[in-house]
Amino acid sequence: MLSLTNVSKSYDDRDPVVDQVSFAANVGELVVILGESGSGKTTTLKMINRLIAPSSGVIRVNGQDTSTVDPVILRRSIGYVFQGVGLFPHMNVAQNIGITPSLLGWTSNRIAHTVDRLLELVRLNPADYRLRMPFELSGGQQQRVGFARALAAEPSILLLDEPFGALDLITRYEVRHDFQKLQEELGLTAIMVSHDVTEALLLADRVIVMRNGRVLRDATPDDLVADPGDPYVARLIEMPRAQARFVEALAP
Amino acid sequence: MSSNLTELLAQLPALLGGHLLLSASALLTGILFSIPLGLAASGSRRLSSTVLAAAGVIQTIPGLALLALMVAALGGTIGFMPAYLALALYSVLPVLRNTVTGIAGVDPTVIEAADGVGMTKWQRMMQVELPLAAPVIIAGIRTSTVWVVGTATLSTPVGAPSLGNYIFAGLQTRNTLSVVFGCVFAALLAIALDQLVRLAENAVRHRNKSRGLLAIIGLALLIGGGLMPLVFKHHSQSNFPGAPLAGMEITIGAKTFTEQYILAEALAEDLVNNGAKVNRLDNLGSAVLFDALAADEVDLYVDYAGTLWTTILKRSEPAVQAQMLAEVTDHLSSNFGIGIVGRLGFENAYAFAMGRISANRLGIESIGELANQPTALTIGGDPEFFARPEWSRVRDIYGLEALGTRGMDSTFMYGAVRDGAVDVITAYTTDGRIDAFDLVVLDDPKQAFPSYDAILLVSPQLTGNTAFTSVLGKWIGTIDTALMREANGQVDLDGATPKQAAAFLRARIDAAR
Ligand SMILES: Nc1ncnc2c1ncn2[C@@H]1O[C@H](COP(=O)(O)OP(=O)(O)OP(=O)(O)O)[C@@H](O)[C@H]1O
Ligand SMILES: [Mg+2]
């Protein structure tokens, strides 16, 4: 369905920021890329819809080499949730969500209908939020609109760069739950970038651990916990448990 | 004063209309050119800095010079075209610069999002970059609007009627009301246009249809109203259908000083009485006016033999009056097809003039005595004069290298020499202020200045028109220097309008017949 083979990216003559990365996601799978800041997660994600052109390697979507496809067409078929949300500040919520459908030439009726359905999906009351401008939304609400925008054109592939970053823990839990349900229902293939180990272990069908632009591990959550296989990965996996123990110790 | 105001108001529709048409079309052209150029250039840093540098160079050319250069570039064409092109060029920089900076200022994460949702480059430009840069671009448009409306006042000397006519004419004829009138209306026009652009911007920003409508209606009214007097072009109409010049349309030109306004006015009235339709183009620069006549854009104006002798024939030696006139006539006819109807009778020469008291004190009676004074004297005059061959000739012949020169508008120099701000001026012999300010004209024993007989020049297309030239022929030899000086003095000293002085002139000529 989606595969990366020996994909690298380097800027100028410097060391590669993504180095010989290979992994694949089957239809309907949710793959989480986990890694510290600067490890190359966003770069990897952007190469999949060619916002960044790879320096070498092959990326296939539905068996087709993406370097042979018009990037504009490719991007319209892939939903992308940006790390910084990136809503269009001069467009209201409905226009932001409906942008890709309108680029694809959908009727305005169909777009309006889709917008309302998606707003409900991300738990924003359409009547309230449809006509708001992005600056009239909280950070978390913006993130949800960004999420709805990525889903609007009914893509089969979804790329998400820390989509829950700006949400408080409880909302985060709810939205994450919604997302998981939705992803399963729609049979979406999703690649999601995260810092959060617990989130990765809870959601992912498979977890990719990246460091310094390289893939350290590619495993199911179960396998990862049972056998980290690398001291860095082991420490990473241990973090949530260490935190839980600390919280536990505070309890009377 | 009130007749002065009536006369000013009567010109308002045509001048305001001309000004508006000129500024609006130049602005529109400038905007339609600059925004796409800015968008195209904003893709590349090098291209945008090159384009901005080029636009910046245009901006450093003074407005008047750019207008004059356009006349030259268009082969002597005067009027709307050169002014329009110069002003359009002038409007480019602010819009271009703000387009480039506006686009550069769009948040890169928003640009990336535009790519990410699948926009083509064009869609990204139209739907994201342009709307987000719009407030900055519109600020540039507003700057351009004010610049262009202001600079359009300078289009008067290249023959495009504008509110500048009030300012130029008022400055020459010491009519302060006229100057103020021109400035106030230019300012009001700039403010009105600026506010309309602002209203349009507001409407776009808030997607407010009624405000947008208001802005569009306002612009349409302003521009439509401005065009009215031009569409229903107002010519002075003939009252005499069977008159000798019935059906003819004649454009009379005038340079930038009182005598020229009076003569143009008097000639215009005479031609109208003979059945012609007359257009007036006042305040043209000497060279511009001559080129316009050669190009048949102006049909008639008064020039001076000595001026043509030095600037067109490029001769530096003096000549006796009759020989000079013969040679000038021959040269103009064979090189340009321009006809000379004849001498009006008076001579408006350059002459050096001083206050009588200081001339006596320094013991100066003739030009040569200006040199070798214990302290170097200062000579004031029209900046044009110091660039003319006459000046270098007089300077060389009398050895005046030590004199300091000070350029000033010719209308101010008489007062300047009276008040001692300068020691000598390059006066015009027909100026009424020579007598009124008790100035003495210095002798020119070596005949350094050529003679400046006022002559009537006719465009190539009308040279063979005998009905026309015979009407003009009645003017030959009718105005002597004293009469011209008196008419000039009425305007420059007594506050009469050129129209009133022209009436006086015609009455005196008729009486003499
Ligand atoms: N345009 C660029 N030119 C040069 N280096 C870049 C560029 N973009 C990113 N990098 C570098 O590539 C590396 C990987 O960046 P990337 O954005 O992929 O990290 P990340 O894993 O998403 O980090 P974070 O969790 O902080 O978002 C970083 O060291 C970054 O400095
Ligand atoms: Mg990142």
Side-chain angles (χ1 to χ4, degrees), chain A residues 46 49 51 72 75-76 78 80 82 86-91 99-100 103 149, chain B residues 109-121 123 127-128 131-132 207:
Chain A
K46 283 181 182 167
N49 77 343
L51 282 174
V72 170
R75 288 173 200 150
R76 289 177 185 174
I78 297 178
Y80 198 111
F82 288 90
L87 295 182
F88 302 117
H90 60 300
M91 297 183 187
I99 188 71
T100 308
L103 294 173
R149 181 174 70 180
Chain B
T109 64
V110 173
I111 304 259
E112 187 165 58
D115 289 333
V117 300
M119 289 189 187
T120 60
K121 272 211 161 74
Q123 287 166 335
Q127 298 182 32
V128 177
L132 288 177
R207 288 161 207 284

